Amino acid sequence: MAYLVLDDYKSDIKASNLDAMVNSDVSVRTTAEDEAESMIKTYLNQLYDTATIFAQTGTDRHPHLMSIMKAIVLHKLHGRLPKRMMPDNIQASYNEAVIWLEKVNDGKISLELPRKTDSDDKTITRFRYGGNTPKTH
């Protein structure tokens, strides 16, 4: 089952507008969703169990991750239209989504999502070590 369902878009776009954008072809929307999911996975897969995350349904899904995915999907769908028809709010939402994903990937934002585990069922964490070159004076 897909991470997003048609009803999830109601808060962002009218059903008739979404239908017109995909020319009543559901596969166009689902392809855009698959592409968005793949994009999100590339940002989350270092620390998070993306297979478990995207298998969640209903109220188990992370609300902000859903909005990030919708922003990416709507940007992809609007990209099918002539360039002058890309609304500023869609472009801004997409840009914010990418910035948020980059912050998650950099470890600046931690999410309450299932974490990746190693073969011993220990949570994989990112640990930085090292320091400045010792000074001798």
Side-chain angles (χ1 to χ4, degrees), residues 2-3 7 25 27 31 52 56 59 77 84 86 89 93-94 97 100 107 109 120 127 135:
Y3 190 71
D7 281 353
D25 185 354
S27 69
T31 299
T52 301
Q56 294 173 331
T59 58
L77 294 178
R84 291 190 186 100
M86 177 71 74
N89 64 324
S93 294
Y94 175 80
W100 185 84
I109 297 175
D120 298 328
F127 181 74
K135 295 181 181 179

Side-chain angles (χ1 to χ4, degrees), residues 68-79:
I68 294 297
M69 188 167 175
K70 286 189 290 183
I72 295 168
V73 170
L74 292 175
H75 185 268
K76 288 185 172 298
L77 294 178
H78 277 88

Side-chain angles (χ1 to χ4, degrees), residues 26-137:
V26 175
S27 69
V28 173
R29 179 180 51 85
T30 57
T31 299
E33 289 172 355
D34 290 343
E35 291 170 358
E37 182 178 318
S38 178
M39 178 181 172
I40 293 169
K41 283 179 177 180
T42 62
Y43 285 97
L44 300 182
N45 70 359
Q46 276 188 324
L47 295 176
Y48 296 98
D49 183 355
T50 55
T52 301
I53 292 167
F54 285 101
Q56 294 173 331
T57 59
T59 58
D60 292 335
R61 299 173 296 169
H62 191 277
H64 192 67
L65 190 58
M66 289 172 57
S67 69
I68 294 297
M69 188 167 175
K70 286 189 290 183
I72 295 168
V73 170
L74 292 175
H75 185 268
K76 288 185 172 298
L77 294 178
H78 277 88
R80 294 170 32 95
L81 304 174
K83 292 215 182 255
R84 291 190 186 100
M85 295 186 73
M86 177 71 74
D88 291 338
N89 64 324
I90 297 295
Q91 185 65 49
S93 294
Y94 175 80
N95 292 342
E96 289 172 16
V98 171
I99 290 168
W100 185 84
L101 287 168
E102 288 171 349
K103 287 181 180 180
V104 170
N105 189 32
D106 291 342
K108 295 177 181 174
I109 297 175
S110 181
L111 304 174
E112 292 181 21
L113 292 172
R115 301 287 286 229
K116 262 190 171 177
T117 56
D118 60 17
S119 58
D120 298 328
D121 264 352
K122 292 183 181 177
T123 301
I124 296 174
T125 59
R126 199 181 295 171
F127 181 74
R128 292 184 182 182
Y129 59 91
N132 294 336
T133 308
K135 295 181 181 179
T136 56
H137 35 176

